[in-house]
C-alpha cells in the first residue's frame, strides 16, 4: 500500500493512548511477533520500501529479548540499528508509542529531554521519532514489549505499525482452526 493511501495518524494524546491500549494481547509470544513481523515485512516489500523491523520483549536485564528482527528489503544504513535501540528504549521506558511522544512534545527532542531530565549521554538513548509501538498484555502492568520500525518517516512508520497490528487482530479474531470449529459444532 503506498504511503499516501495510509490515513494520517491521530495527533490527539487521548486518542493515541486509547488506540495503543485498544489492542492488548492475552499473552505475547514468538508466534505473535513472527506473524506481526511478517505482515509488516510483506506490506513493506509490496510497497518497495526498505525498512528494519524489530520486535522485542522487555527483560529484567538491560537487554530486551529479541523475538523478530529483519529488514524488509536490502540496502539499509547501519544507523538504523541505533534508531531501533532508541525507539525501543523510549517505548519500554515511557510505555507509549514514539509517535505519542512526538505529538506530546511537537517532535522536539530537546523539549522531551528537558521535560524528563535526560540530558547529555542518557538523552541520546531515546527518540521521539514515530515507529515504536508498545505491546500490552492483559493482567500485566505496563508495557511488556515493543514493535519498532526504522527507516521511514515517523508518521508513515506509525501508520504502518498500527495497520499491521490491526491486520493481525483481524486475522486472530477471524481465524477458526479445524479443532475450534469442531468443538463449536459438536459442543465438545
Amino acid at each position: 500500500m503506498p504511503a499516501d493511501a495510509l490515513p494520517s495518524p491521530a495527533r490527539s494524546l487521548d486518542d493515541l493512548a486509547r488506540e495503543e491500549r485498544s489492542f492488548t494481547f492475552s499473552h505475547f509470544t514468538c508466534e505473535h511477533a513472527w506473524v506481526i513481523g511478517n505482515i509488516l515485512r510483506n506490506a513493506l516489500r509490496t510497497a518497495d520500501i526498505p525498512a528494519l523491523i524489530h520486535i522485542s520483549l522487555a527483560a529484567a536485564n538491560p537487554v530486551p529479548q529479541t523475538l523478530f528482527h529483519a529488514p524488509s528489503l536490502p540496502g539499509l544504513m547501519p544507523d538504523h540499528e541505533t534508531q531501533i535501540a532508541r525507539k525501543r528504549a523510549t517505548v519500554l521506558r515511557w510505555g507509549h508509542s514514539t509517535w505519542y511522544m512526538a505529538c506530546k512534545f511537537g517532535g522536539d527532542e530537546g523539549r522531551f529531554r528537558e521535560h524528563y531530565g535526560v540530558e547529555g549521554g542518557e538523552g541520546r538513548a531515546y527518540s521521539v521519532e514515530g515507529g515504536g509501538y508498545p505491546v500490552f498484555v492483559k493482567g500485566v502492568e505496563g508495557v511488556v514489549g515493543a514493535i519498532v520500525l526504522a527507516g521511514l518517516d515517523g508518521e508513515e512508520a506509525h501508520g504502518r505499525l498500527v495497520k499491521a497490528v490491526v491486520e493481525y487482530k483481524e486475522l486472530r479474531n477471524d481465524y477458526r482452526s479445524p479443532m475450534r470449529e469442531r468443538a463449536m459444532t459438536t459442543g465438545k
Side-chain angles (χ1 to χ4, degrees):
M1 169 180 285
D4 56 5
L6 285 173
S8 293
R11 291 182 182 270
S12 157
L13 298 184
D14 289 338
D15 291 345
L16 287 170
R18 255 192 311 281
E19 173 187 82
E20 290 169 2
R21 290 270 181 198
S22 71
F23 187 67
T24 300
F25 294 84
S26 55
H27 61 289
F28 194 78
T29 64
C30 286
E31 183 180 355
H32 294 89
W34 186 82
V35 174
I36 292 170
N38 279 300
I39 288 171
L40 272 169
R41 187 167 50 188
N42 291 338
L44 293 167
R45 281 184 178 165
T46 301
D48 200 26
I49 298 171
L52 193 58
I53 306 155
H54 179 90
I55 303 174
S56 61
L57 293 177
N61 60 10
V63 180
Q65 179 185 358
T66 298
L67 301 178
F68 185 93
H69 188 87
S72 64
L73 291 170
L76 294 171
M77 301 299 291
D79 65 345
H80 287 348
E81 290 288 349
T82 302
Q83 274 300 96
I84 288 283
R86 293 179 71 217
K87 291 177 186 184
R88 179 182 61 218
T90 304
V91 170
L92 295 180
R93 178 161 177 182
W94 282 282
H96 281 294
S97 67
T98 50
W99 179 251
Y100 176 100
M101 300 305 277
C103 291
K104 182 174 180 176
F105 295 101
D108 186 344
E109 289 201 4
R111 279 185 44 217
F112 162 76
R113 290 184 188 123
E114 185 178 301
H115 180 82
Y116 288 113
V118 288
E119 296 295 324
E122 185 190 6
R124 286 191 294 274
Y126 306 105
S127 172
V128 298
E129 183 187 339
Y133 201 79
V135 173
F136 294 102
V137 172
K138 289 178 187 164
V140 178
E141 185 63 31
V143 65
V144 299
I147 305 169
V148 182
L149 190 55
L152 300 174
D153 166 75
E155 186 172 323
E156 182 182 0
H158 182 79
R160 290 198 179 273
L161 281 175
V162 169
K163 186 171 180 348
V165 171
V166 167
E167 188 174 329
Y168 176 77
K169 181 180 180 181
E170 290 168 357
L171 283 172
R172 185 196 70 184
N173 290 342
D174 293 340
Y175 176 71
R176 297 285 184 257
S177 71
M179 292 304 289
R180 198 171 180 189
E181 287 294 324
R182 184 171 167 248
M184 289 174 70
T185 57
T186 62
K188 293 184 181 179

